[in-house]
């Protein structure tokens, strides 16, 4: 019997996908699946399907009795008419005619039942293939009477393998495309005509801090200008480009591009929105302006002092050796102050440049604090002070950059030694806490490490606390400069802590001292990963 697939058109032994058209794409292998069953011919030349070991063969379906009777009656109608004519013409009596008719009817029912059983088995088998939608169809039920039913099931199984293979390749292609898009550093959103996000890549999920799929764009990006641009493109407008700056402790600036798709995607998307991060470029421009403004303001006083002392040494005090020594010491102090100021400005600029990028390393806070305290022992000894560190030996590590966190605790401990009373202790404690303060970003406001630095000094009036982390803000300007402060230490601390997605809190009581507390998340915020749709789901 000829093959159901048309003889030479049957798939070769290497697999059914080899006979499928590539349509300009390389065929992708079946990942994690058994190879589809192959079609062979038995000794009689009839096509059969190789049975898969993990799939039971389809059961043979019985034909409905009522349908068998109807078909039998229809099949026996010519014989019945012939018997009636023979009875009318006298060639046959009534009783034998009825007996012969019943015999013909019974034989017809038997044949119809056998053939109809094959046909209904084929129908049920095809329905099962449609319902399961598998590229490895189960073996067909046995069919011994109807060649048409047998050929139909073989053709249906071959068609199922054909389209199943195409679906597997399309699914593999979709996964590969999604993997490529997930590897892009730019956040990418696909939006439908109702402004719902139908798909977002990994960078977009990191940008939003959650899975934005199926959410309205207005709940993902709360920016009227962005929503207006998307609405304009959805109504038939051309692509738009605008600048968008996010809010929060680590603001980021993006060039946002909204482009219409050539046609609606399978998931209903009509618009593609891409965000290009230009935060570094914007901050570099801001830093140039800030550096010029801050440097010109803060360097004016020491430079004026240096110019004045140089003029004095070259003029009235030209031959005064005692004045030379005194003025040179003052000039050296002013030059050192300018050097510290420039160093702090450059450090602050570097930190602000990368503030929007979370750290990728791991830091041992106990080890960092102990090393910083050891380096400050000479400064503490000058004022008969000590640094008491109370931390558990099994203190957990935190995600962070050790060098930057060293700078944080260096500034906090140095300030505590400067402004604390002599012959007192500076207390440093660190304990894990289940949740950070409200000033932390929501995505990282989980389990944290709380590190507190407490001094016993004059304290700070409450009205000054909100502005302590501003650049060059000093509660007592003269005393700060006398102690060698630049007014940038706490600003540096604030920006480093913000880059680590933490928080800085300050508590102070006049006459008792101040406590500076740093909260550092114990784990980076999770990145939501969407479920990959299975066969039959909308992609």
């Amino acid at each position: 019997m000829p093959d159901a697939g048309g003889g030479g058109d049957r798939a070769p032994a290497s697999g059914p996908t080899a006979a499928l058209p590539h349509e300009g794409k390389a065929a992708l292998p079946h990942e994690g699946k058994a190879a589809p069953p192959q079609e062979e011919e038995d000794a009689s030349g009839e096509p059969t399907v190789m049975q898969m070991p993990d799939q039971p063969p389809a059961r043979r379906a019985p034909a409905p009795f009522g349908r068998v009777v109807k078909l039998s009656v229809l099949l026996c109608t010519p014989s019945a008419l012939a018997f009636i004519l023979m009875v009318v013409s006298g060639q046959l009596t009534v009783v034998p005619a009825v007996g012969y008719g019943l015999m013909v009817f019974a034989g017809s029912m038997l044949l119809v039942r056998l053939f109809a059983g094959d046909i209904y088995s084929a129908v049920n088998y095809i329905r099962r293939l449609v319902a399961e939608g598998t590229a490895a169809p189960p073996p067909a039920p046995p069919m011994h009477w109807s060649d048409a039913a047998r050929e139909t099931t073989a053709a249906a199984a071959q068609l199922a393998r054909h389209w199943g293979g195409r679906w597997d390749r399309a699914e593999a292609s979709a996964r590969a495309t999604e993997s490529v898009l997930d590897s892009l550093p730019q956040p990418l959103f696909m939006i439908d005509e109702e402004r719902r996000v139908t798909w977002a890549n990994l960078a977009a999920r990191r940008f939003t801090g959650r899975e934005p799929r199926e959410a309205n764009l207005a709940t993902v990006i709360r920016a009227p200008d962005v929503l207006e641009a998307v609405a304009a493109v959805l109504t038939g407008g051309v692509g738009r480009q605008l600048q968008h700056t996010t809010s929060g402790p680590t603001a980021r600036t993006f060039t946002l591009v909204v482009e219409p798709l050539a046609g609606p995607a399978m998931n209903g998307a009509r618009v593609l929105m891409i965000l290009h991060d230009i935060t570094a470029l914007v901050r570099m421009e801001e830093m140039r302006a800030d550096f010029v403004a801050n440097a010109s303001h803060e360097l004016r006083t020491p430079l004026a002092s240096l110019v004045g002392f140089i003029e004095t040494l070259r003029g009235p005090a030209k031959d005064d050796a005692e004045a030379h020594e005194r003025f040179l010491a003052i000039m050296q102090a002013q030059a050192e102050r300018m050097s510290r100021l420039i160093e702090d400005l450059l450090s602050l600029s570097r930190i602000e440049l990368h503030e929007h990028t979370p750290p990728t390393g791991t830091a041992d806070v106990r080890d960092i604090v102990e090393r910083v305290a050891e380096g400050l022992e000479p400064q503490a000894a000058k004022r008969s002070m000590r640094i008491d560190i109370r931390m558990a030996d099994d203190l957990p590590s935190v995600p962070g950059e050790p060098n930057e966190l060293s700078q944080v605790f260096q500034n906090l401990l140095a300030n505590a030694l400067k402004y604390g009373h002599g012959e007192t202790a500076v207390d440093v404690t660190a304990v894990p806490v289940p949740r950070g303060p409200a000033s932390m970003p929501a995505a990282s406001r989980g389990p944290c490490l709380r590190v507190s630095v407490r001094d016993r000094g004059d304290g700070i009036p409450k009205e000054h606390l909100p502005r302590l982390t501003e650049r060059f803000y000093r509660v007592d300007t003269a005393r700060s400069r006398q102690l060698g402060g630049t007014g940038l230490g706490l600003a540096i601390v604030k920006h480093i802590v913000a880059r680590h997605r933490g928080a800085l809190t300050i508590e102070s009581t006049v006459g008792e001292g101040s406590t500076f507390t740093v909260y550092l998340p114990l784990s980076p915020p999770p990145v939501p990963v969407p479920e990959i749709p299975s066969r039959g789901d909308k992609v």
Side-chain angles (χ1 to χ4, degrees):
M1 182 172 295
D3 185 274
D9 294 335
R10 191 158 39 91
S14 61
T17 56
L20 296 176
H22 291 277
E23 298 180 358
K25 298 182 180 178
L28 298 176
H30 294 276
E31 298 180 2
K33 296 183 180 179
Q38 301 296 317
E39 198 176 272
E40 293 184 347
E41 292 185 356
D42 57 17
S44 63
E46 297 179 349
T48 61
V49 179
M50 293 177 60
Q51 291 193 2
M52 302 298 294
D54 57 345
Q55 290 183 310
R59 297 180 60 184
R60 181 179 174 84
F65 182 75
R67 185 61 59 87
V68 171
V69 172
K70 290 180 180 178
L71 291 175
S72 300
V73 170
L74 183 62
L75 186 63
C76 293
T77 298
S79 300
L81 293 175
F83 287 140
I84 292 172
L85 289 175
M86 293 175 68
V87 170
V88 171
S89 63
Q91 299 178 11
L92 191 65
T93 62
V94 174
V95 174
V98 172
Y100 293 148
L102 292 176
M103 291 175 61
V104 171
F105 182 74
S108 298
M109 280 194 64
L110 178 61
L111 293 176
V112 168
R113 182 175 180 276
L114 294 175
F115 279 87
D118 283 358
I119 294 173
Y120 276 95
S121 296
V123 170
N124 288 342
Y125 178 71
I126 294 173
R127 287 175 178 169
R128 179 180 175 183
L129 294 180
V130 173
E132 293 181 356
T134 177
M143 300 177 191
H144 305 292
W145 300 95
S146 175
D147 291 342
R150 188 162 50 246
E151 292 180 8
T152 300
T153 55
Q158 186 179 16
L159 186 62
R161 288 195 299 273
H162 175 83
W163 286 108
R166 283 198 169 194
W167 174 272
D168 287 342
R169 289 206 306 277
E171 193 175 51
S173 177
R175 289 173 185 266
T177 301
E178 185 167 347
S179 178
V180 170
L181 294 177
D182 273 343
S183 66
L184 293 177
Q186 295 88 3
L188 184 148
F189 298 88
M190 298 181 73
I191 305 163
D192 65 10
E193 58 186 6
E194 296 179 358
R195 293 199 317 188
R196 285 186 304 110
V197 178
T198 60
W199 188 84
N201 68 349
L202 181 60
R205 298 194 294 274
R206 286 176 176 163
F207 170 73
T208 59
R210 63 187 178 96
E211 172 54 65
R213 188 179 297 185
E214 300 302 327
N216 191 283
L217 184 63
T219 65
V220 177
I221 300 180
R222 301 178 183 275
D225 53 344
V226 174
L227 300 179
E228 290 176 4
V230 172
V233 175
L234 282 173
T235 55
V238 296
R240 299 291 183 90
Q241 181 172 321
L242 63 153
Q243 187 167 304
H244 170 64
T245 302
T246 63
S247 58
T250 55
R252 299 167 64 185
T253 303
F254 295 87
T255 295
L256 191 143
V257 180
V258 183
E259 290 290 342
L261 297 176
M266 290 182 65
N267 58 13
R270 302 294 298 270
V271 166
L272 187 68
M273 186 173 72
I274 306 175
L275 285 75
H276 300 279
D277 195 341
I278 59 171
T279 306
L281 297 176
V282 173
R283 289 192 175 174
M284 285 179 65
E285 293 298 327
E286 293 176 349
M287 282 190 299
R288 289 192 188 99
D290 290 344
F291 185 84
V292 172
N294 294 328
S296 63
H297 175 73
E298 290 295 323
L299 294 178
R300 186 179 295 117
T301 300
L303 281 175
S305 298
L306 287 176
V307 171
F309 285 127
I310 291 172
E311 290 177 351
T312 302
L313 290 174
R314 296 179 65 181
K318 183 176 183 179
D319 299 320
D320 189 342
E322 182 179 353
H324 278 205
E325 293 297 326
R326 187 173 69 256
F327 290 164
L328 286 174
I330 297 174
M331 292 170 65
Q332 181 179 0
Q334 294 293 341
E336 290 175 350
R337 179 189 166 200
M338 286 192 295
S339 177
R340 288 194 302 271
L341 179 62
I342 292 173
E343 184 179 347
D344 283 352
L345 279 172
L346 292 175
S347 177
L348 183 59
S349 298
R350 286 192 295 267
I351 294 166
E352 287 183 326
L353 182 62
H354 302 289
E355 186 177 348
H356 64 285
T357 306
T360 56
T362 303
D364 185 341
V365 172
R366 179 185 175 88
D367 180 64
I368 291 173
V369 172
E370 288 178 344
R371 285 191 287 105
V372 170
E374 184 179 354
L376 291 173
E377 283 181 359
Q379 182 177 338
K382 288 181 181 179
R383 305 192 62 207
S384 300
M385 299 177 71
R386 68 181 188 278
I387 300 175
D388 292 339
I389 300 175
R390 294 194 295 274
M391 299 183 185
D393 293 334
D394 58 348
L395 202 67
S397 299
V398 298
E401 298 292 339
N403 291 337
E404 291 187 356
L405 293 179
S406 295
Q407 202 169 358
V408 167
F409 298 115
Q410 173 78 27
N411 281 322
L412 293 180
L413 287 173
N415 283 348
L417 293 175
K418 287 178 186 177
Y419 298 104
H421 292 156
E423 301 181 354
T424 61
V426 174
D427 298 329
V428 184
T429 59
V431 292
V433 293
R435 189 172 176 82
S439 55
M440 285 185 68
S444 58
R445 199 183 304 155
C448 295
L449 185 65
R450 183 180 67 196
V451 186
S452 299
V453 178
R454 180 175 181 267
D455 66 59
R456 292 171 176 82
D458 294 333
I460 305 169
K462 290 184 177 180
E463 61 270 19
H464 294 286
L465 295 181
R467 301 190 60 190
L468 281 182
T469 56
E470 294 180 9
R471 296 185 184 193
F472 305 113
Y473 185 82
R474 301 177 177 90
V475 177
D476 187 340
T477 303
R479 184 183 179 192
S480 174
R481 289 179 177 171
Q482 181 184 358
L483 295 174
T486 62
L488 294 173
L490 290 179
I492 292 174
V493 169
K494 180 187 73 171
H495 287 286
I496 291 177
V497 172
R499 187 193 175 206
H500 285 70
R501 304 304 185 256
L504 172 68
T505 62
I506 305 173
E507 299 174 353
S508 185
T509 303
V510 176
E512 295 182 8
S514 306
T515 301
F516 293 78
T517 303
V518 174
Y519 292 86
L520 299 171
L522 289 175
S523 60
V527 178
V529 179
E531 296 182 357
I532 298 177
S534 60
R535 179 173 298 173
D537 294 339
K538 183 174 70 172
V539 178

